[in-house]
Amino acid sequence: MGLIYTKTVTIIELAVSAVLLAIGFIGFSATRQAAKAPDASKPQKKKHRLYMILTVISAWFLIGTVISSVSQSSGGLNVEFQMFSERITLFGVSFAKTTVMMWVIIAIVLLLGLIFRFILFPRFDKDNPKGFQNVIEISVEAMENFTKSVLGDYTEQIAPYMYSLAVFMIFSAISELFGMRPPTSDLLVTLAMGLITFALINFYGIRKKGFGGRVKSLAKPTPVIFPMKILSDIAVPISLACRLFGNMIGGMIVMDLLKSVLNGYATGIPAVAGLYFNVFHPLIQTYIFIVLSLTFINEAIE
């Protein structure tokens, strides 16, 4: 009885959404020319817009109903979360999927860099850069200027690493658009990034002040806070790693929740939400990670 009721409801949903889709599409087509005319009135434009909205919503509902009926599953909370990435075996050796994806991203970036430098632009036009060369130069100059505003004299050594870090994090976010788990959603990867920042903090701190000066700076303004400064320095890579990991894994969980709860009706919605969670949100996290890294290095050399 329950199965018959479910099928009946599904048939009704398909029929209603199909009828609404036909009405919306016919109305949209019929009002198109009138709405685009130079002397078109506001009611005509509004009517055309309403037909377009009806077409989109009914098409979304029809597609969702078809997918849900074919998959024979209902929406619900069904999200599996793993702090560390799944593992795969290559040549008899076990690797985390995020590690392999990180290698793939590095290889892609290197390949694109070689194509850009030796094929597309074998000779840079320094006087009048155009096209993609201009875009790259603007982004590099922006990173150099931003790093210089924080670190000053150490810009030439730090800016290239920060730019490479930004490119890696952006490509990591893009990998999620292809259904892969981004490397930055693996705690081990973010911890490695945090440890590199930790190494840079102490390297440039010792380079600027010497080992003794670096130790003395941790005891200012009073030696009483020396143990707390040590703990604070040790906490830096952990804080950077957990902040980035938590934000990236949070975006993955939200996307999985959308797909799980909406089931077939998730068609199109994750793609729109992905513009935020896979593009805008990672850009914010990239900016925060770089700003914090530069700030900590600046504190060490002051």
Side-chain angles (χ1 to χ4, degrees), residues 9-299:
V9 171
T10 301
I11 293 173
I12 293 174
E13 289 177 348
L14 289 171
V16 172
S17 57
V19 171
L20 291 176
L21 176 60
I23 294 173
F25 181 76
I26 293 172
F28 176 77
S29 301
T31 58
R32 181 188 301 175
Q33 291 184 352
K36 289 185 177 181
D39 58 344
S41 62
K42 289 185 177 180
Q44 289 176 318
K45 293 181 179 179
K46 184 177 180 181
K47 188 177 181 180
H48 178 69
R49 193 178 302 112
L50 289 175
Y51 276 123
M52 180 182 68
I53 294 173
L54 176 62
T55 303
V56 172
I57 293 177
S58 56
W60 166 77
F61 192 80
L62 177 62
I63 294 172
T65 304
V66 171
I67 294 176
S68 298
S69 60
V70 171
S71 63
Q72 297 181 349
S73 61
S74 57
L77 293 177
N78 182 25
V79 178
E80 296 181 359
F81 167 72
Q82 292 182 343
M83 180 171 292
F84 300 105
S85 172
E86 297 178 356
R87 303 190 70 83
I88 59 176
T89 302
L90 297 175
F91 308 108
V93 182
S94 178
F95 298 98
K97 283 187 177 181
T98 49
T99 302
V100 177
M101 178 54 58
M102 182 172 60
W103 294 340
V104 171
I105 290 172
I106 293 173
I108 291 174
V109 172
L110 287 174
L111 180 61
L112 291 177
L114 292 173
I115 292 174
F116 171 76
R117 181 63 184 89
F118 296 105
I119 298 178
L120 297 180
F121 299 97
R123 294 182 180 179
F124 281 93
D125 188 350
K126 297 181 180 180
D127 298 326
N128 187 25
K130 297 180 181 179
F132 189 63
Q133 178 187 339
N134 197 30
V135 174
I136 294 297
E137 289 189 7
I138 290 174
S139 63
V140 171
E141 288 177 2
M143 179 61 74
E144 288 179 347
N145 293 333
F146 182 73
T147 306
K148 188 175 183 179
S149 67
V150 180
L151 295 181
D153 296 337
Y154 293 93
T155 300
E156 292 184 0
Q157 292 102 15
I158 299 295
Y161 167 70
M162 292 300 169
Y163 187 85
S164 301
L165 186 65
V167 171
F168 169 73
M169 294 179 68
I170 292 171
F171 272 77
S172 294
I174 292 175
S175 67
E176 190 175 355
L177 295 174
F178 296 92
M180 306 300 295
R181 177 170 178 170
T184 47
S185 67
D186 189 330
L187 185 57
L188 294 178
V189 175
T190 59
L191 182 59
M193 295 165 63
L195 288 173
I196 293 174
T197 296
F198 178 74
L200 291 174
I201 292 171
N202 289 279
F203 173 79
Y204 284 101
I206 294 173
R207 182 178 177 181
K208 178 71 178 292
K209 303 175 182 178
F211 182 79
R214 172 64 176 156
V215 173
K216 288 180 181 179
S217 67
L218 296 175
K220 291 181 180 180
T222 171
V224 176
I225 68 170
F226 181 78
M228 290 180 282
K229 281 286 190 71
I230 292 293
L231 290 176
S232 177
D233 268 20
I234 295 175
V236 165
I238 299 174
S239 173
L240 288 173
C242 292
R243 180 184 287 105
L244 179 58
F245 165 75
N247 281 285
M248 296 305 297
I249 201 68
M252 283 185 57
I253 292 174
V254 170
M255 295 298 294
D256 287 342
L257 283 172
L258 279 174
K259 296 174 184 177
S260 177
V261 172
L262 296 177
N263 193 26
Y265 298 100
T267 303
I269 295 179
V272 176
L275 293 176
Y276 174 78
F277 289 108
N278 297 333
V279 179
F280 183 67
H281 178 252
L283 288 176
I284 295 176
Q285 298 309 316
T286 300
Y287 175 77
I288 292 174
F289 192 93
I290 290 175
V291 167
L292 290 176
S293 297
L294 291 175
T295 302
F296 289 135
I297 295 173
N298 182 56
E299 290 177 355

